[in-house]
Amino acid sequence: MKKYIADGMLLVTAIVWGSGFVITAIALEYLTAYQVMAGRFLLASIILTVLFGYKLKKASKSVIWKGILLGSILYIAFALQTVGLQYTTPSKNAFLTAVNVIIVPLIAFTVYKRRIDGYEIIGSIIAIVGIGFLSLQGSLTMNIGDALSLACAVAFAFDIFCTNLFVQKEDAIALTIIQFITASVIGVLVVVDQGDIPTTFEKEAIYSIIYLAIFSTTLAYLFQNIANQYTSATKAAIILSTESFFGMVLSVIFLHEVLTSRMVVGAILILLAILIAEVKPAHPKKRMMKSSQ
């Protein structure tokens, strides 16, 4: 039952992240990408500290250094994604970022030196093909923006893998708080270094930052970090890849983007990938053995 609840939490995270595409698009009309990043992480850190700050009193050195590592990886991933977006199209950026669904099981294989679950590998491949249908448009050539987006995918893959590894022994909420504090400190330092501290705020920008901080950051990463205690890193990556599907649906609804047949094919493939990784259809011989017992 815990496994299914965890998968449900990851699905909610994907839905919220999908909505983040729409909200971030609104926020970027009023703020720079680095201001948005600093704002969402800073507010999320304050919210989590107010709600669960007592957990930091018992935080061990192990929790602190692991949280700092996760926060650093998280900020680097967002920074690579943001800078990469300046040199490539949003669709290619989304597709290359989602390649983490393939990278996660490769990291797990390299670290653990054990056989990779075949169904999860199949699910990962189908998911990435689906994301390609969903996101890729026009030219398939690679430029500096594409390379940065691919590096972003590697960073997000390490974030998912390390989170899955760390929460097995550490308190997930304490890790999340330290992770956000680290990301917010880096974010604020970057904005200050750029001399880009905002002096005025439009209400649309404020509402966007509040939404991103509460839902896309606090709730989503809290759910992700807790859920990773009860599922594999590869399955988590596959479920989280539905972010692109929900982003498409919400973009069509709220940003009035045109829904094409290839986008529908991509969405179907992503959902199929999740079913394969989740249900893991039993081998015929195994089903016969179970029915004979």
Side-chain angles (χ1 to χ4, degrees), residues 104-131:
V104 168
L106 295 179
I107 295 174
F109 174 76
T110 302
V111 173
Y112 293 130
K113 305 293 183 183
R114 67 189 184 194
R115 188 176 67 86
I116 307 175
D117 187 300
Y119 287 114
E120 292 185 349
I121 287 295
I122 293 172
S124 297
I125 295 173
I126 293 176
I128 206 66
V129 172
I131 293 167

Side-chain angles (χ1 to χ4, degrees):
M1 182 59 68
K2 288 182 178 180
K3 182 189 73 171
Y4 293 119
I5 293 175
D7 292 348
M9 293 174 76
L10 289 172
L11 188 60
V12 170
T13 297
I15 294 172
V16 171
W17 281 350
S19 69
F21 284 115
V22 177
I23 304 302
T24 300
I26 296 172
L28 289 175
E29 293 180 8
Y30 305 94
L31 300 168
T32 68
Y34 292 106
Q35 289 172 340
V36 173
M37 289 167 60
R40 68 186 291 179
F41 284 124
L42 182 60
L43 183 54
S45 299
I46 293 172
I47 293 171
L48 274 183
T49 302
V50 170
L51 294 177
F52 305 105
Y54 64 90
K55 286 184 174 288
L56 294 179
K57 297 179 181 179
K58 299 180 180 179
S60 63
K61 291 182 179 179
S62 176
V63 171
I64 293 174
W65 77 258
K66 288 176 181 176
I68 291 174
L69 177 60
L70 287 177
S72 301
I73 293 174
L74 185 65
Y75 187 85
I76 290 171
F78 270 99
L80 288 169
Q81 185 182 48
T82 303
V83 176
L85 190 56
Q86 296 176 355
Y87 302 99
T88 190
T89 62
S91 60
K92 291 179 74 174
N93 181 266
F95 170 73
L96 291 168
T97 298
V99 171
N100 70 72
V101 76
I102 291 293
I103 300 173
V104 168
L106 295 179
I107 295 174
F109 174 76
T110 302
V111 173
Y112 293 130
K113 305 293 183 183
R114 67 189 184 194
R115 188 176 67 86
I116 307 175
D117 187 300
Y119 287 114
E120 292 185 349
I121 287 295
I122 293 172
S124 297
I125 295 173
I126 293 176
I128 206 66
V129 172
I131 293 167
F133 272 98
L134 202 64
S135 304
L136 282 181
Q137 305 290 336
S139 173
L140 301 181
T141 57
M142 179 168 284
N143 57 28
I144 183 62
D146 301 330
L148 290 172
S149 299
L150 193 57
C152 159
V154 175
F156 273 123
F158 272 100
D159 179 64
I160 293 172
F161 174 78
C162 290
T163 299
N164 185 271
L165 181 65
F166 293 163
V167 296
Q168 305 304 320
K169 295 183 179 180
E170 310 293 355
D171 183 273
I173 295 178
L175 273 174
T176 308
I177 296 174
I178 298 172
Q179 179 184 29
F180 285 176
I181 290 176
T182 302
S184 64
V185 168
I186 297 174
V188 170
L189 289 176
V190 169
V191 170
V192 171
D193 180 65
Q194 293 179 338
D196 223 2
I197 301 176
T199 55
T200 59
F201 294 95
E202 298 290 339
K203 63 179 182 179
E204 290 83 359
I206 295 175
Y207 294 154
S208 298
I209 291 295
I210 291 175
Y211 180 90
L212 291 172
I214 294 176
F215 296 101
S216 296
T217 310
T218 304
L219 181 67
Y221 275 94
L222 199 58
F223 273 21
Q224 181 197 13
N225 290 1
I226 292 174
N228 265 290
Q229 297 175 86
Y230 308 104
T231 191
S232 71
T234 302
K235 184 189 288 186
I238 293 172
I239 295 175
L240 292 173
S241 73
T242 59
E243 167 192 6
S244 58
F245 166 73
F246 292 113
M248 173 204 72
V249 172
L250 294 172
S251 293
V252 169
I253 295 173
F254 294 104
L255 299 181
H256 307 295
E257 290 191 10
V258 178
L259 182 64
T260 65
S261 57
R262 63 181 292 170
M263 293 168 70
V264 174
V265 172
I268 292 172
L269 287 174
I270 291 174
L271 295 177
L272 177 62
I274 295 174
L275 287 175
I276 291 175
E278 179 66 35
V279 179
K280 297 184 180 180
H283 189 278
K285 289 184 178 180
K286 291 183 179 180
R287 286 203 299 265
M288 289 175 64
M289 289 176 64
K290 287 181 179 179
S291 62
S292 63
Q293 290 177 352

